[in-house]
Amino acid sequence: MVSNPATSPPTMLRTMAYEGLHEGPRLIVLGAVHGNETCGPRAILRLAGELERVERQLLRGTLTLVPVANPLAYQRGERMGERNLNRNFRVTTDPQDFEDRVANRLAPLLARHDVLLDLHSFHTPGEPFVMLGPQDNASGLEPFRQAAAEEALVRRLGPRRVVEGWLDTYARGVARRMRNPNASLRAQMLSTDPSYGIGTTEYMRGHGGYGVTLECGQHDDPEAPEVGYRAILAALAHLEMLDLPPPPPRADLEILRLVEVIDRDHPDDRFARPWQSFDRVCAGEAIGVRADGEVVRSPADAFIVFPNPRALPGNEWFYRAEVSDRPVDGVKSRDLPS
């Protein structure tokens, strides 16, 4: 019996490559690393159509488009296929699940490029923002030497809001998860792996390139695909790969730093109110309530980021962020109203 390709598990990864006739940067753009985040595929396929119709032409360098990085999750319309592709992202000689097999193809592809733009969206309403990597450093967690180039790109993608501090905050969350007796066995197993916090951009930085995650808006926001599309064009213009004016750098950046991640321990853990990303929370204010009645309070004035009321137990429930004093491409965070 012949299987139906529309319903059978995907067995391939679709990529589209364009080569300029002059040497230049190698940019790769990903969509649907999480299958329920459709703004990336829509933005990428819009540009691909323009390139195929020769409405736009690459001037130099290499452009690789991967509209759907996680075909199984995308087919199901869910965040994950068998696990989160954007965690524990690496090549493995013993693939255990669909995402391992995707990473075995996608990771070497990333390593052959200089720059990554990874398009995402999020659960609750909110404005777009960019996730920025670390400053130049030689630490063991995420050594990096291209912060200046990454910051310059971030200032030109469009959104005013920038969030940094992902991997070290996640590492602290892993340590907390390991101490939590309520964490699921699966979560504990994953947390023992030092690579678990590594996603596409972290992998890119660890292999000589740089990359940013652009959160284009809420999953269902009709403007999110436009945000992604304009960001791709801005990246191509900034890298001088398309015949477009250089994108103007934003001078009104709002730069926040993640400082803490809190897991959901039980299906009955609930938020104190319907939080949206970047809602302000005051010191001592209730953020959520555990299944046993314990109130989770903010230890300081902060912002809520990535609140997920449907998080699975043992996974990230929400992040806290504070105003960062880090300048990005020479610009410090604007004064935020109280």
Side-chain angles (χ1 to χ4, degrees), residues 20-302:
L21 298 184
H22 299 278
E23 293 296 320
R26 296 165 295 180
L27 170 66
I28 183 168
V29 184
L30 304 183
V33 165
H34 297 132
N36 61 339
E37 301 175 9
T38 61
C39 59
R42 293 170 64 185
I44 290 169
L45 291 173
R46 177 178 172 184
L47 175 63
E50 294 172 348
L51 292 168
E52 294 298 326
R53 294 188 298 270
V54 200
E55 295 170 3
R56 299 187 188 276
Q57 291 197 68
L58 204 63
L59 298 180
R60 67 182 192 126
T62 299
L63 172 64
T64 301
L65 303 176
V66 185
V68 177
N70 192 333
L72 179 60
Y74 188 75
Q75 182 187 75
R76 295 175 175 175
E78 298 176 354
R79 178 175 172 83
M80 301 179 284
E82 296 176 351
R83 68 168 180 86
N84 190 341
L85 178 61
N86 217 24
R87 304 289 185 272
N88 201 27
F89 185 88
R90 61 179 179 177
V91 174
T92 176
T93 58
D94 184 25
Q96 297 295 307
D97 48 46
F98 183 84
E99 279 76 6
D100 279 353
R101 292 188 287 275
V102 169
N104 276 352
R105 295 293 179 266
L106 193 56
L109 185 61
L110 294 185
R112 294 197 293 270
H113 289 75
D114 305 310
V115 188
L116 164 66
L117 176 59
D118 192 357
L119 302 178
H120 287 253
S121 57
F122 44 88
H123 289 274
T124 55
E127 69 176 83
F129 62 97
V130 186
M131 298 288 289
L132 174 67
Q135 295 175 295
D136 287 345
N137 72 92
S139 73
L141 182 63
E142 192 177 11
F144 192 42
R145 294 185 297 176
Q146 298 203 56
E150 191 170 287
E151 290 176 4
L153 176 62
V154 163
R155 276 192 71 195
R156 289 157 176 84
L157 290 180
R160 68 182 178 90
R161 184 169 281 151
V162 178
V163 178
E164 60 148 344
W166 155 255
L167 193 57
D168 54 351
T169 299
Y170 194 87
R172 291 193 297 272
V174 164
R176 172 183 293 190
R177 186 179 298 159
M178 287 300 295
R179 296 192 300 268
N180 183 0
N182 297 319
S184 68
L185 178 61
R186 175 62 173 162
Q188 291 183 32
M189 289 171 61
L190 290 171
S191 297
T192 62
D193 191 330
S195 299
Y196 188 60
I198 301 295
T200 58
T201 53
E202 292 79 20
Y203 186 90
M204 192 74 181
R205 296 183 195 112
H207 288 77
Y210 64 93
V212 297
T213 296
L214 172 60
E215 297 282 350
C216 299
Q218 188 183 27
H219 297 327
D220 299 326
D221 187 343
E223 294 301 316
E226 180 71 17
V227 171
Y229 171 75
R230 291 187 179 278
I232 301 172
L233 293 184
L236 288 165
H238 173 62
L239 297 170
E240 300 179 347
M241 296 172 68
L242 281 184
D243 186 15
L244 291 172
R250 292 205 69 138
D252 59 341
L253 295 182
E254 179 182 296
I255 307 164
L256 303 178
R257 179 172 182 80
L258 297 175
V259 295
E260 185 180 36
V261 56
I262 300 297
D263 285 349
R264 194 180 192 196
D265 294 339
H266 189 278
D268 292 334
D269 289 353
R270 66 189 188 279
F271 283 128
R273 66 179 179 88
W275 295 104
Q276 298 181 13
S277 273
F278 305 105
D279 278 346
R280 289 176 176 272
V281 59
C282 298
E285 184 176 351
I287 298 174
V289 181
R290 297 290 189 188
D292 63 2
E294 177 192 359
V295 179
V296 179
R297 300 184 184 277
S298 180
D301 292 347

